[in-house]
Amino acid sequence: MVGARPQFVKAAVVSRELAATPGARETLVHTGQHFDPGMSDVFFGELGIPEPAFHLGVGGGTHGQNTGRMLEAIERVLLERRPDWVLVYGDTDSTLAGTLAAVKLHIPVAHVEAGLRSFNRRMPEEINRVLTDHAASLLLVPTETAVRNLEAEGIRGEAVRMVGDVMYDAALIYGREAEQRSGVLARVGVRPGAYVLATIHRPSNTDDVGNLRGILAAMAASRLPVVWPVHPRTRRRIAEFGLEIPPAVHAIEPVGYLDMIKLERHARAIATDSGGVQKEAFFHRVPCLTLRRETEWVELVELGVNRLLGEDWSAFGAALAGELPEFSPLDDRQPYGRGDAALRIVRALQG
């Protein structure tokens, strides 16, 4: 069950492993939560994800509208196919809708990336992940911190499986391919190590005019060019608020996964409010500035490679204008497994 671009990446590595497993058969359902071709179709082509057996075309509404319409459509699919497992990824509306549809039909749910917590119940993602974890039959956990989070909520035992992080699998599998196939640096006009990559999409940052103005002002102060693949909804907000993107910012359209990896690998630093990009920065050994008050990936803050800036836009501007944090090339710590999470997930599903 997928619907948003981070889920496409996670599903790609699991689908590869399922395809190589005798007797396993996958039916891919795409809810349509990310309906823009630049946010969806390009990922399927680049990552070799099988064409979805069902494309539900649900997207563009509010959280309630999306979840309700997905729930109805997914239920029809499950009644038709009657799968042994429903596999859901992450923390989106698609995750919650797939979970609710399955458990009400008494179909077991396996949750990839279970146990993450920001402890901020104002985030829709936090509600989605908590409810999914408490309804799922199998919790496929990426980190020891996630295991402890589940234990604190009374979820433990054989249902919880420490498998590692599928995003690390993807970074290893597709990193070399990105180097060979992506020409994004030349297209954008930046040199390796001489730009900051920004990804900003969360409503708390983009739907608040004060926060969005602060982010743009900080980018304007950067001593290095800022490359910013701008989410379609963020572009609309900038126009609605009467704001302007600073001239030194390379505001580009959303990019595919291989281009994104190339941009991440060669950035001097990454500024983001995305959960997945924080990890990818770590996988590629690039320091990260996180434009949120909290993170699910607390290991990165504890390791000193991810700096939480919250909504302190003056600190963000000072970081971009001054000395950016460094990432030691000798740092080989890896709290996210060994790059075999997809294999462990398939084995867990097999029992």
Side-chain angles (χ1 to χ4, degrees):
M1 195 74 60
V2 296
R5 63 187 279 171
Q7 294 171 322
F8 306 149
V9 178
K10 297 163 192 170
V13 293
V14 176
S15 292
R16 285 166 61 107
E17 199 61 51
L18 285 169
T21 302
R25 184 175 62 185
E26 180 184 28
T27 298
L28 192 64
V29 179
H30 184 352
T31 65
Q33 183 173 336
H34 276 173
F35 53 89
D36 184 277
M39 303 289 286
S40 175
D41 294 355
V42 65
F43 274 61
F44 280 77
E46 285 188 344
L47 303 181
I49 304 172
E51 186 68 22
F54 296 90
H55 196 306
L56 306 182
V58 179
T62 65
H63 288 289
Q65 290 170 337
N66 284 344
T67 305
R69 290 162 58 205
M70 288 175 192
L71 179 55
E72 182 178 9
I74 293 167
E75 183 180 63
R76 289 195 296 267
V77 173
L78 299 183
L79 286 169
E80 176 184 330
R81 291 299 177 100
R82 286 290 179 179
D84 296 313
W85 285 96
V86 169
L87 189 61
V88 297
Y89 297 86
D91 53 21
T92 68
D93 293 339
S94 301
T95 310
L96 180 59
T99 299
L100 292 174
V103 298
K104 288 178 179 292
L105 294 174
H106 309 294
I107 300 171
V109 172
H111 184 200
V112 175
E113 219 173 60
L116 301 186
R117 297 292 183 268
S118 68
F119 302 102
N120 178 0
R121 290 295 181 97
R122 293 184 61 83
M123 292 174 57
E125 296 88 350
E126 183 78 350
I127 301 301
N128 291 341
R129 64 172 72 104
V130 169
L131 294 177
T132 296
D133 282 344
H134 282 265
S137 300
L138 184 61
L139 297 109
L140 302 162
V141 176
T143 66
E144 292 294 343
T145 301
V147 173
R148 292 193 294 271
N149 289 339
L150 292 175
E151 288 177 343
E153 296 174 13
I155 304 174
R156 56 176 59 87
E158 284 298 307
V160 179
R161 305 287 183 89
M162 174 66 177
V163 297
D165 197 316
V166 289
M167 295 292 285
Y168 186 42
D169 292 28
L172 295 176
I173 292 169
Y174 296 108
R176 183 174 299 176
E177 190 172 349
E179 288 300 317
Q180 295 172 346
R181 291 177 52 188
S182 173
V184 67
L185 299 190
R187 293 200 308 273
V188 176
V190 291
R191 293 179 293 105
Y195 63 92
V196 173
L197 175 65
T199 74
I200 298 154
H201 73 282
R202 289 190 181 273
S204 59
N205 283 333
T206 61
D207 293 356
D208 182 301
V209 63
N211 285 345
L212 192 52
R213 181 183 290 115
I215 289 167
L216 293 171
M219 289 183 176
S222 178
R223 65 182 178 84
L224 292 176
V226 177
V227 178
W228 183 15
V230 185
H231 192 287
R233 186 171 54 79
T234 304
R235 282 193 185 273
R236 291 195 296 272
R237 291 291 182 267
I238 291 171
E240 290 168 7
F241 294 149
L243 303 175
E244 294 185 0
I245 297 174
V249 174
H250 297 266
I252 62 177
E253 295 301 311
V255 297
Y257 185 57
L258 298 183
D259 282 348
M260 189 63 180
I261 289 180
K262 187 74 171 279
L263 287 169
E264 289 171 346
R265 286 169 67 99
H266 294 286
R268 172 62 183 81
I270 294 174
T272 187
D273 59 12
S274 162
V277 173
Q278 293 174 53
K279 285 186 300 176
E280 288 170 342
F282 176 72
F283 298 153
H284 303 308
R285 298 305 193 252
V286 175
C288 187
L289 303 170
T290 296
L291 309 182
R292 290 169 52 184
R293 295 179 180 178
E294 66 287 305
T295 179
E296 301 80 4
W297 307 106
V298 295
E299 302 86 6
L300 302 181
V301 177
E302 292 168 355
L303 292 175
V305 297
N306 186 358
R307 185 185 301 172
L308 282 179
L309 296 181
E311 296 174 358
D312 188 342
W313 309 125
S314 61
F316 181 35
L320 294 180
E323 288 300 317
L324 291 162
E326 296 283 353
F327 199 124
S328 170
L330 300 178
D331 192 338
D332 60 357
R333 293 171 291 180
Q334 183 47 270
Y336 298 111
R338 300 179 304 207
D340 61 351
L343 175 61
R344 290 171 177 262
I345 286 168
V346 172
R347 287 177 175 170
L349 293 171
Q350 290 175 314

PDB file of all heavy atoms in Angstrom, residues 315-340:
ATOM      1  N   ALA A 315      18.640  31.777  13.491  1.00  0.00           N
ATOM      2  CA  ALA A 315      19.694  30.768  13.621  1.00  0.00           C
ATOM      3  C   ALA A 315      19.907  30.038  12.296  1.00  0.00           C
ATOM      4  O   ALA A 315      21.044  29.715  11.936  1.00  0.00           O
ATOM      5  CB  ALA A 315      19.332  29.764  14.720  1.00  0.00           C
ATOM      6  N   PHE A 316      18.827  29.793  11.578  1.00  0.00           N
ATOM      7  CA  PHE A 316      18.931  29.165  10.261  1.00  0.00           C
ATOM      8  C   PHE A 316      19.718  30.073   9.320  1.00  0.00           C
ATOM      9  O   PHE A 316      20.648  29.636   8.622  1.00  0.00           O
ATOM     10  CB  PHE A 316      17.533  28.889   9.721  1.00  0.00           C
ATOM     11  CG  PHE A 316      17.496  28.220   8.372  1.00  0.00           C
ATOM     12  CD1 PHE A 316      18.447  27.290   7.987  1.00  0.00           C
ATOM     13  CD2 PHE A 316      16.465  28.519   7.478  1.00  0.00           C
ATOM     14  CE1 PHE A 316      18.391  26.668   6.740  1.00  0.00           C
ATOM     15  CE2 PHE A 316      16.394  27.904   6.235  1.00  0.00           C
ATOM     16  CZ  PHE A 316      17.366  26.987   5.861  1.00  0.00           C
ATOM     17  N   GLY A 317      19.377  31.352   9.298  1.00  0.00           N
ATOM     18  CA  GLY A 317      20.095  32.290   8.449  1.00  0.00           C
ATOM     19  C   GLY A 317      21.558  32.406   8.833  1.00  0.00           C
ATOM     20  O   GLY A 317      22.438  32.467   7.968  1.00  0.00           O
ATOM     21  N   ALA A 318      21.842  32.406  10.142  1.00  0.00           N
ATOM     22  CA  ALA A 318      23.231  32.497  10.604  1.00  0.00           C
ATOM     23  C   ALA A 318      24.025  31.271  10.176  1.00  0.00           C
ATOM     24  O   ALA A 318      25.198  31.373   9.794  1.00  0.00           O
ATOM     25  CB  ALA A 318      23.264  32.658  12.119  1.00  0.00           C
ATOM     26  N   ALA A 319      23.392  30.090  10.239  1.00  0.00           N
ATOM     27  CA  ALA A 319      24.079  28.866   9.815  1.00  0.00           C
ATOM     28  C   ALA A 319      24.395  28.904   8.325  1.00  0.00           C
ATOM     29  O   ALA A 319      25.493  28.527   7.903  1.00  0.00           O
ATOM     30  CB  ALA A 319      23.221  27.646  10.147  1.00  0.00           C
ATOM     31  N   LEU A 320      23.439  29.375   7.532  1.00  0.00           N
ATOM     32  CA  LEU A 320      23.670  29.439   6.084  1.00  0.00           C
ATOM     33  C   LEU A 320      24.695  30.514   5.723  1.00  0.00           C
ATOM     34  O   LEU A 320      25.447  30.358   4.760  1.00  0.00           O
ATOM     35  CB  LEU A 320      22.355  29.721   5.353  1.00  0.00           C
ATOM     36  CG  LEU A 320      21.284  28.625   5.417  1.00  0.00           C
ATOM     37  CD1 LEU A 320      20.049  29.066   4.645  1.00  0.00           C
ATOM     38  CD2 LEU A 320      21.806  27.304   4.859  1.00  0.00           C
ATOM     39  N   ALA A 321      24.701  31.602   6.498  1.00  0.00           N
ATOM     40  CA  ALA A 321      25.613  32.702   6.188  1.00  0.00           C
ATOM     41  C   ALA A 321      27.013  32.472   6.740  1.00  0.00           C
ATOM     42  O   ALA A 321      27.979  33.069   6.258  1.00  0.00           O
ATOM     43  CB  ALA A 321      25.051  34.016   6.742  1.00  0.00           C
ATOM     44  N   GLY A 322      27.122  31.614   7.763  1.00  0.00           N
ATOM     45  CA  GLY A 322      28.409  31.417   8.424  1.00  0.00           C
ATOM     46  C   GLY A 322      29.027  30.077   8.121  1.00  0.00           C
ATOM     47  O   GLY A 322      28.959  29.578   6.990  1.00  0.00           O
ATOM     48  N   GLU A 323      29.603  29.492   9.156  1.00  0.00           N
ATOM     49  CA  GLU A 323      30.271  28.207   9.003  1.00  0.00           C
ATOM     50  C   GLU A 323      29.273  27.070   9.200  1.00  0.00           C
ATOM     51  O   GLU A 323      28.714  26.908  10.279  1.00  0.00           O
ATOM     52  CB  GLU A 323      31.413  28.081  10.020  1.00  0.00           C
ATOM     53  CG  GLU A 323      32.606  28.961   9.698  1.00  0.00           C
ATOM     54  CD  GLU A 323      33.220  28.619   8.342  1.00  0.00           C
ATOM     55  OE1 GLU A 323      33.360  27.426   8.032  1.00  0.00           O
ATOM     56  OE2 GLU A 323      33.537  29.564   7.600  1.00  0.00           O
ATOM     57  N   LEU A 324      29.064  26.308   8.173  1.00  0.00           N
ATOM     58  CA  LEU A 324      28.140  25.184   8.249  1.00  0.00           C
ATOM     59  C   LEU A 324      28.778  24.040   9.037  1.00  0.00           C
ATOM     60  O   LEU A 324      30.006  23.914   9.075  1.00  0.00           O
ATOM     61  CB  LEU A 324      27.774  24.713   6.849  1.00  0.00           C
ATOM     62  CG  LEU A 324      26.906  25.686   6.055  1.00  0.00           C
ATOM     63  CD1 LEU A 324      26.949  25.365   4.571  1.00  0.00           C
ATOM     64  CD2 LEU A 324      25.471  25.657   6.552  1.00  0.00           C
ATOM     65  N   PRO A 325      27.958  23.202   9.681  1.00  0.00           N
ATOM     66  CA  PRO A 325      28.525  22.076  10.435  1.00  0.00           C
ATOM     67  C   PRO A 325      29.277  21.116   9.529  1.00  0.00           C
ATOM     68  O   PRO A 325      29.020  21.037   8.327  1.00  0.00           O
ATOM     69  CB  PRO A 325      27.290  21.421  11.055  1.00  0.00           C
ATOM     70  CG  PRO A 325      26.144  21.865  10.220  1.00  0.00           C
ATOM     71  CD  PRO A 325      26.493  23.226   9.718  1.00  0.00           C
ATOM     72  N   GLU A 326      30.193  20.390  10.122  1.00  0.00           N
ATOM     73  CA  GLU A 326      30.999  19.417   9.383  1.00  0.00           C
ATOM     74  C   GLU A 326      30.553  17.996   9.724  1.00  0.00           C
ATOM     75  O   GLU A 326      29.969  17.744  10.765  1.00  0.00           O
ATOM     76  CB  GLU A 326      32.490  19.570   9.743  1.00  0.00           C
ATOM     77  CG  GLU A 326      33.093  20.905   9.352  1.00  0.00           C
ATOM     78  CD  GLU A 326      33.390  21.014   7.867  1.00  0.00           C
ATOM     79  OE1 GLU A 326      33.252  19.982   7.165  1.00  0.00           O
ATOM     80  OE2 GLU A 326      33.746  22.104   7.420  1.00  0.00           O
ATOM     81  N   PHE A 327      30.846  17.075   8.833  1.00  0.00           N
ATOM     82  CA  PHE A 327      30.599  15.652   9.071  1.00  0.00           C
ATOM     83  C   PHE A 327      31.928  14.940   8.885  1.00  0.00           C
ATOM     84  O   PHE A 327      32.506  14.971   7.811  1.00  0.00           O
ATOM     85  CB  PHE A 327      29.573  15.115   8.066  1.00  0.00           C
ATOM     86  CG  PHE A 327      28.915  13.828   8.490  1.00  0.00           C
ATOM     87  CD1 PHE A 327      27.538  13.749   8.579  1.00  0.00           C
ATOM     88  CD2 PHE A 327      29.649  12.702   8.797  1.00  0.00           C
ATOM     89  CE1 PHE A 327      26.914  12.568   8.964  1.00  0.00           C
ATOM     90  CE2 PHE A 327      29.060  11.526   9.190  1.00  0.00           C
ATOM     91  CZ  PHE A 327      27.681  11.457   9.267  1.00  0.00           C
ATOM     92  N   SER A 328      32.416  14.304   9.945  1.00  0.00           N
ATOM     93  CA  SER A 328      33.718  13.660   9.866  1.00  0.00           C
ATOM     94  C   SER A 328      33.709  12.513   8.866  1.00  0.00           C
ATOM     95  O   SER A 328      32.861  11.623   8.943  1.00  0.00           O
ATOM     96  CB  SER A 328      34.117  13.107  11.238  1.00  0.00           C
ATOM     97  OG  SER A 328      35.268  12.290  11.111  1.00  0.00           O
ATOM     98  N   PRO A 329      34.635  12.517   7.915  1.00  0.00           N
ATOM     99  CA  PRO A 329      34.692  11.397   6.966  1.00  0.00           C
ATOM    100  C   PRO A 329      35.078  10.077   7.622  1.00  0.00           C
ATOM    101  O   PRO A 329      34.922   9.021   7.015  1.00  0.00           O
ATOM    102  CB  PRO A 329      35.760  11.856   5.972  1.00  0.00           C
ATOM    103  CG  PRO A 329      36.595  12.840   6.714  1.00  0.00           C
ATOM    104  CD  PRO A 329      35.662  13.521   7.670  1.00  0.00           C
ATOM    105  N   LEU A 330      35.569  10.146   8.850  1.00  0.00           N
ATOM    106  CA  LEU A 330      35.956   8.926   9.566  1.00  0.00           C
ATOM    107  C   LEU A 330      34.794   8.334  10.369  1.00  0.00           C
ATOM    108  O   LEU A 330      34.941   7.272  10.967  1.00  0.00           O
ATOM    109  CB  LEU A 330      37.125   9.231  10.511  1.00  0.00           C
ATOM    110  CG  LEU A 330      38.397   9.761   9.845  1.00  0.00           C
ATOM    111  CD1 LEU A 330      39.453  10.058  10.899  1.00  0.00           C
ATOM    112  CD2 LEU A 330      38.930   8.770   8.818  1.00  0.00           C
ATOM    113  N   ASP A 331      33.653   9.035  10.380  1.00  0.00           N
ATOM    114  CA  ASP A 331      32.508   8.580  11.166  1.00  0.00           C
ATOM    115  C   ASP A 331      31.788   7.465  10.416  1.00  0.00           C
ATOM    116  O   ASP A 331      31.158   7.692   9.393  1.00  0.00           O
ATOM    117  CB  ASP A 331      31.557   9.761  11.397  1.00  0.00           C
ATOM    118  CG  ASP A 331      30.497   9.453  12.439  1.00  0.00           C
ATOM    119  OD1 ASP A 331      30.229   8.258  12.662  1.00  0.00           O
ATOM    120  OD2 ASP A 331      29.932  10.390  13.012  1.00  0.00           O
ATOM    121  N   ASP A 332      31.899   6.242  10.927  1.00  0.00           N
ATOM    122  CA  ASP A 332      31.277   5.101  10.257  1.00  0.00           C
ATOM    123  C   ASP A 332      30.152   4.493  11.091  1.00  0.00           C
ATOM    124  O   ASP A 332      29.748   3.350  10.859  1.00  0.00           O
ATOM    125  CB  ASP A 332      32.321   4.024   9.934  1.00  0.00           C
ATOM    126  CG  ASP A 332      33.003   3.486  11.192  1.00  0.00           C
ATOM    127  OD1 ASP A 332      32.707   3.996  12.292  1.00  0.00           O
ATOM    128  OD2 ASP A 332      33.819   2.558  11.059  1.00  0.00           O
ATOM    129  N   ARG A 333      29.612   5.237  12.046  1.00  0.00           N
ATOM    130  CA  ARG A 333      28.511   4.723  12.854  1.00  0.00           C
ATOM    131  C   ARG A 333      27.270   4.533  11.989  1.00  0.00           C
ATOM    132  O   ARG A 333      26.972   5.342  11.117  1.00  0.00           O
ATOM    133  CB  ARG A 333      28.217   5.695  14.008  1.00  0.00           C
ATOM    134  CG  ARG A 333      29.338   5.781  15.034  1.00  0.00           C
ATOM    135  CD  ARG A 333      29.100   6.903  16.016  1.00  0.00           C
ATOM    136  NE  ARG A 333      29.237   8.217  15.387  1.00  0.00           N
ATOM    137  CZ  ARG A 333      29.086   9.369  16.034  1.00  0.00           C
ATOM    138  NH1 ARG A 333      28.800   9.361  17.324  1.00  0.00           N
ATOM    139  NH2 ARG A 333      29.225  10.511  15.403  1.00  0.00           N
ATOM    140  N   GLN A 334      26.525   3.450  12.244  1.00  0.00           N
ATOM    141  CA  GLN A 334      25.349   3.162  11.432  1.00  0.00           C
ATOM    142  C   GLN A 334      24.265   2.534  12.306  1.00  0.00           C
ATOM    143  O   GLN A 334      24.238   1.319  12.502  1.00  0.00           O
ATOM    144  CB  GLN A 334      25.720   2.229  10.276  1.00  0.00           C
ATOM    145  CG  GLN A 334      24.568   1.924   9.333  1.00  0.00           C
ATOM    146  CD  GLN A 334      23.807   3.157   8.914  1.00  0.00           C
ATOM    147  OE1 GLN A 334      22.843   3.558   9.549  1.00  0.00           O
ATOM    148  NE2 GLN A 334      24.258   3.801   7.854  1.00  0.00           N
ATOM    149  N   PRO A 335      23.354   3.354  12.829  1.00  0.00           N
ATOM    150  CA  PRO A 335      22.299   2.808  13.701  1.00  0.00           C
ATOM    151  C   PRO A 335      21.106   2.232  12.949  1.00  0.00           C
ATOM    152  O   PRO A 335      20.129   1.827  13.582  1.00  0.00           O
ATOM    153  CB  PRO A 335      21.877   4.047  14.504  1.00  0.00           C
ATOM    154  CG  PRO A 335      22.104   5.192  13.574  1.00  0.00           C
ATOM    155  CD  PRO A 335      23.322   4.824  12.755  1.00  0.00           C
ATOM    156  N   TYR A 336      21.180   2.173  11.612  1.00  0.00           N
ATOM    157  CA  TYR A 336      20.002   1.801  10.830  1.00  0.00           C
ATOM    158  C   TYR A 336      20.118   0.440  10.150  1.00  0.00           C
ATOM    159  O   TYR A 336      19.432   0.163   9.175  1.00  0.00           O
ATOM    160  CB  TYR A 336      19.705   2.892   9.800  1.00  0.00           C
ATOM    161  CG  TYR A 336      19.388   4.204  10.464  1.00  0.00           C
ATOM    162  CD1 TYR A 336      20.259   5.290  10.372  1.00  0.00           C
ATOM    163  CD2 TYR A 336      18.244   4.345  11.235  1.00  0.00           C
ATOM    164  CE1 TYR A 336      19.973   6.493  11.014  1.00  0.00           C
ATOM    165  CE2 TYR A 336      17.946   5.540  11.878  1.00  0.00           C
ATOM    166  CZ  TYR A 336      18.820   6.605  11.760  1.00  0.00           C
ATOM    167  OH  TYR A 336      18.534   7.781  12.412  1.00  0.00           O
ATOM    168  N   GLY A 337      20.978  -0.414  10.682  1.00  0.00           N
ATOM    169  CA  GLY A 337      21.065  -1.758  10.153  1.00  0.00           C
ATOM    170  C   GLY A 337      22.211  -1.937   9.185  1.00  0.00           C
ATOM    171  O   GLY A 337      23.102  -1.097   9.063  1.00  0.00           O
ATOM    172  N   ARG A 338      22.160  -3.050   8.450  1.00  0.00           N
ATOM    173  CA  ARG A 338      23.264  -3.443   7.588  1.00  0.00           C
ATOM    174  C   ARG A 338      22.917  -3.374   6.104  1.00  0.00           C
ATOM    175  O   ARG A 338      23.650  -3.896   5.268  1.00  0.00           O
ATOM    176  CB  ARG A 338      23.696  -4.863   7.936  1.00  0.00           C
ATOM    177  CG  ARG A 338      24.156  -5.019   9.381  1.00  0.00           C
ATOM    178  CD  ARG A 338      24.554  -6.440   9.697  1.00  0.00           C
ATOM    179  NE  ARG A 338      23.484  -7.393   9.424  1.00  0.00           N
ATOM    180  CZ  ARG A 338      23.356  -8.566  10.066  1.00  0.00           C
ATOM    181  NH1 ARG A 338      24.235  -8.898  10.986  1.00  0.00           N
ATOM    182  NH2 ARG A 338      22.374  -9.381   9.772  1.00  0.00           N
ATOM    183  N   GLY A 339      21.758  -2.796   5.782  1.00  0.00           N
ATOM    184  CA  GLY A 339      21.367  -2.726   4.384  1.00  0.00           C
ATOM    185  C   GLY A 339      20.626  -3.961   3.908  1.00  0.00           C
ATOM    186  O   GLY A 339      20.486  -4.164   2.694  1.00  0.00           O
ATOM    187  N   ASP A 340      20.117  -4.781   4.845  1.00  0.00           N
ATOM    188  CA  ASP A 340      19.359  -5.977   4.469  1.00  0.00           C
ATOM    189  C   ASP A 340      17.957  -5.961   5.075  1.00  0.00           C
ATOM    190  O   ASP A 340      17.366  -7.006   5.349  1.00  0.00           O
ATOM    191  CB  ASP A 340      20.092  -7.245   4.912  1.00  0.00           C
ATOM    192  CG  ASP A 340      20.297  -7.328   6.418  1.00  0.00           C
ATOM    193  OD1 ASP A 340      20.019  -6.327   7.123  1.00  0.00           O
ATOM    194  OD2 ASP A 340      20.732  -8.392   6.887  1.00  0.00           O
TER     195      ASP A 340
END
